[in-house]
Amino acid sequence: LGFTIAVATLTGVLFGLAPAWRAARTSPQGAMRAAGRGVVEGHSRFAAGKALVVGQVALSMVLVVGAGLLLGTMRTLTRLDPGFSRDGVLLVSAQARDTGAPDEARRAAQRELLRRLREIPGVRSASASLLTPLSGRGWAEGVEVDGFTPASRGDDLVFFNAVTDRFFETMGTALVAGREFDDRDRAGAPRAVVVNETLARKFFGAASPVGRQIGQRPHGDKPQPPLQVVGVVRDAKYSSLREGPRPTAYVPLAQAELFGFSLDFELRSAEGTPAAALVPAVKAVVAQADPRISLEFTTLAGQLAASLTRERLLATLSGFFGALALLLAVVGLYGTMAYGVARRRTEIGIRLALGAAPARVLRMVLGEAGVLVASGVALGALGALAASRLLASFLFGVTPKDPTTLALSALTLAAAAAAAAAVPAWRAARLDPMVPLREE
C-alpha cells in the first residue's frame, strides 16, 4: 500500500509539473489573444499530449499482444486431445494403512474392492491404476529391446504405469492392435505389457510389436523376466499437456510390485450421470470393505484443469492488464482529441462558415487520430516482437511472433481508437459555426 501511494504521488507530481511549467511560460498577450488560441501555436499544438498518447498506444499494443499470446496458449491447451476422454470420469485416491498383511492378501483386497465399485449403480466401467494422467507423479525405467540401440543416454527411457483390466475402456483410450489386459494376466503368469504408439514406433519401427519382448533392468540383485507385448493403444498424455508423445508402457497391476499402500480407482459414469454423483456410493462401498481407508475425490476433467493452473492464471492476469491498457489508451486518445477539438473550435467554425462540408471536418479529426494510433501501433509492434521473446517458455501452440495475434491486436486497438475518436469528430462536424464566431 505504501509503495502504491508513493508511486501514485510521484506520478501525479511529475505529470502535473509539465503543464504547470508550460503555463508559467505562456505570455499574457498570447493567452488573451483569440480566446487562448495562441497558447500553443502552429503545428506544435498539444504536441506533448499527442506524444504521450502515441506512447500509451504503443505500450497497450505490447500488453495486448502478450495477452493474445497467453490466451492463445490457454485455448490451444484446453482444446488439445489428451488421448483419453476427460468427461464423466471420477478419480478416487485410496490410501490404506500398513496392516502388515502379506502382498497376496492386499492384492485380493484390492480386487474385491474394485469388484464392488463396478457394481455401483450408475458406474459404466471401473478400473484401478498406480498412476492417473496429469497427476504430477511418474515412473520411468530404461528398457532393452532386441534390435534397438540407444542413440544417447536416456534414449532407452520408458514411462510406466500399472493398471487393471478395463483401464483403457474406462479412460476412453482406443486400442490400436492386440488386446487389453484380462484374467490371463494374473500373478505368476507370463509378464504382459501394453504399449502406446510412440513406444511401438521408436523401438520396433514399422513392424508389429505384438508378441515381441521388452526387457527391464534388474531391480537390485533380482532379475526381471521380459515383458511380452500383448497390445498397442493410442498415445495419451502422461504428466503434462505440454509434453510431446512419450514412449509409455502399461503393465498389469496384478504382476507389478506393490508401491506403498495407495491406489487410484477410475470410475466412468453411465450416460446422464454426473461423475461427482458417484461419490456417496463410493464412500459407502469403501467403508464396508475397510473403514480405515481414507479417500480423496476429483474428476479427470478437474485434474486436467488443475494441471493448467499456471497457464490459466497467466492468461487471466495478462487478459485483465491487456484490457486495462486498452481502456487507458482509449481514454487517453479520447481526451486528447476532445481537448484538441475544443481548442480549435474557432478554426473549425471558420472552416464550416467558409463552406467546408461536415464530412470533411469529420475526416480531418479522424485522420489526426489515425496518425496517432498508427504511430503507436507501429512502435508497439516493434516492442511486442522484442518483449514476446520473454514469453517463449510460457507459450504452447503459438510462436512469439505469431502474425495472427499481432494482426488481431492491431485491429483491436484500431477499432477501439476509432470508437474513442468518433465522438470528438462527430461533435466537431456538428458544430454550429456561429457559436465560436460570436464568442470571438
Side-chain angles (χ1 to χ4, degrees), residues 14-24:
L14 288 179
F15 283 87
L17 285 176
W21 180 74
R22 292 181 61 198

Side-chain angles (χ1 to χ4, degrees), residues 193-218:
V193 64
V194 172
V195 301
N196 71 342
E197 294 173 297
T198 295
L199 188 151
R201 285 192 300 268
K202 179 175 181 178
F203 290 91
F204 301 102
S208 172
V210 177
R212 301 284 296 274
Q213 291 186 340
I214 298 176
Q216 284 183 283
R217 294 172 182 171

Side-chain angles (χ1 to χ4, degrees), residues 302-376:
Q303 185 159 289
L304 189 149
S307 70
L308 297 176
T309 299
R310 185 188 71 168
E311 287 77 4
R312 186 176 295 103
L313 177 62
L314 288 174
T316 301
L317 288 176
S318 64
F320 170 77
F321 286 114
L324 181 61
L326 184 61
L327 175 62
L328 292 176
V330 167
V331 171
L333 181 62
Y334 170 80
T336 300
M337 299 312 299
Y339 182 61
V341 168
R343 290 170 55 86
R344 300 173 62 184
R345 289 175 73 248
T346 302
E347 173 194 337
I348 294 172
I350 293 174
R351 288 176 181 269
L352 292 172
L354 292 177
R360 184 173 182 179
V361 175
L362 185 69
R363 289 195 301 269
M364 178 184 68
V365 178
L366 290 177
E368 292 183 3
V371 170
L372 298 180
V373 174
S375 302

Side-chain angles (χ1 to χ4, degrees), residues 16-391:
L17 285 176
W21 180 74
R22 292 181 61 198
R25 295 187 47 167
T26 302
S27 64
Q29 293 83 358
M32 296 175 64
R33 184 171 61 249
R37 282 178 293 150
V39 175
V40 182
E41 298 176 347
H43 295 288
S44 63
R45 184 185 294 117
F46 201 43
K50 293 180 178 179
L52 288 175
V53 169
V54 171
Q56 195 172 41
V57 172
L59 291 175
S60 299
M61 179 69 177
V62 174
L63 290 175
V64 170
V65 169
L69 291 174
L70 291 173
L71 289 170
T73 294
M74 186 65 190
R75 182 177 62 254
T76 301
L77 288 172
T78 54
R79 294 180 177 179
L80 191 67
D81 181 10
F84 50 82
S85 179
R86 70 189 77 184
D87 298 322
V89 177
L90 177 68
L91 302 181
V92 184
S93 177
Q95 182 71 32
R97 296 181 182 179
D98 182 7
T99 60
D103 288 353
E104 184 53 40
R106 291 169 55 193
R107 293 183 188 277
Q110 292 173 354
R111 290 194 298 269
E112 176 62 18
L113 181 56
L114 178 58
R115 184 189 66 81
R116 294 188 182 187
L117 291 175
R118 287 172 172 171
E119 293 176 351
I120 293 176
V123 173
R124 189 172 71 186
S125 177
S127 61
S129 64
L130 181 65
L131 305 170
T132 55
L134 312 179
S135 62
R137 296 179 293 156
W139 165 22
E141 291 185 17
V143 300
E144 297 176 355
V145 176
D146 290 340
F148 175 80
T149 302
S152 60
R153 184 178 180 181
D155 191 39
D156 59 350
L157 198 66
V158 169
F159 292 84
F160 281 85
N161 194 4
V163 303
T164 65
D165 61 306
R166 302 180 67 181
F167 173 80
F168 304 110
E169 174 190 348
T170 304
M171 299 300 294
T173 301
L175 183 69
V176 177
R179 65 174 178 86
E180 296 190 36
F181 298 131
D182 53 31
D183 293 337
R184 289 172 285 181
D185 307 306
R186 59 187 180 277
R191 301 180 70 209
V193 64
V194 172
V195 301
N196 71 342
E197 294 173 297
T198 295
L199 188 151
R201 285 192 300 268
K202 179 175 181 178
F203 290 91
F204 301 102
S208 172
V210 177
R212 301 284 296 274
Q213 291 186 340
I214 298 176
Q216 284 183 283
R217 294 172 182 171
H219 289 181
D221 297 331
K222 183 180 179 182
Q224 295 282 347
L227 299 165
Q228 185 172 14
V229 179
V230 299
V232 181
V233 294
R234 64 175 298 209
D235 292 335
K237 299 297 183 181
Y238 188 85
S239 59
S240 170
L241 283 175
R242 288 176 172 266
E243 70 189 18
R246 290 184 173 184
T248 308
Y250 304 87
V251 296
L253 189 63
Q255 297 179 348
E257 295 183 32
L258 291 177
F259 296 89
F261 302 91
S262 63
L263 195 64
D264 291 321
F265 294 92
E266 303 86 27
L267 286 76
R268 177 168 291 280
S269 61
E271 187 175 355
T273 302
L278 302 175
V279 171
V282 172
K283 289 182 176 180
V285 166
V286 173
Q288 291 176 0
D290 188 348
R292 296 170 298 180
I293 297 178
S294 60
L295 302 175
E296 291 184 5
F297 296 93
T298 186
T299 62
L300 185 56
Q303 185 159 289
L304 189 149
S307 70
L308 297 176
T309 299
R310 185 188 71 168
E311 287 77 4
R312 186 176 295 103
L313 177 62
L314 288 174
T316 301
L317 288 176
S318 64
F320 170 77
F321 286 114
L324 181 61
L326 184 61
L327 175 62
L328 292 176
V330 167
V331 171
L333 181 62
Y334 170 80
T336 300
M337 299 312 299
Y339 182 61
V341 168
R343 290 170 55 86
R344 300 173 62 184
R345 289 175 73 248
T346 302
E347 173 194 337
I348 294 172
I350 293 174
R351 288 176 181 269
L352 292 172
L354 292 177
R360 184 173 182 179
V361 175
L362 185 69
R363 289 195 301 269
M364 178 184 68
V365 178
L366 290 177
E368 292 183 3
V371 170
L372 298 180
V373 174
S375 302
V377 168
L379 291 175
L382 295 177
L385 291 175
S388 59
R389 292 181 297 178
L390 302 175
L391 295 175

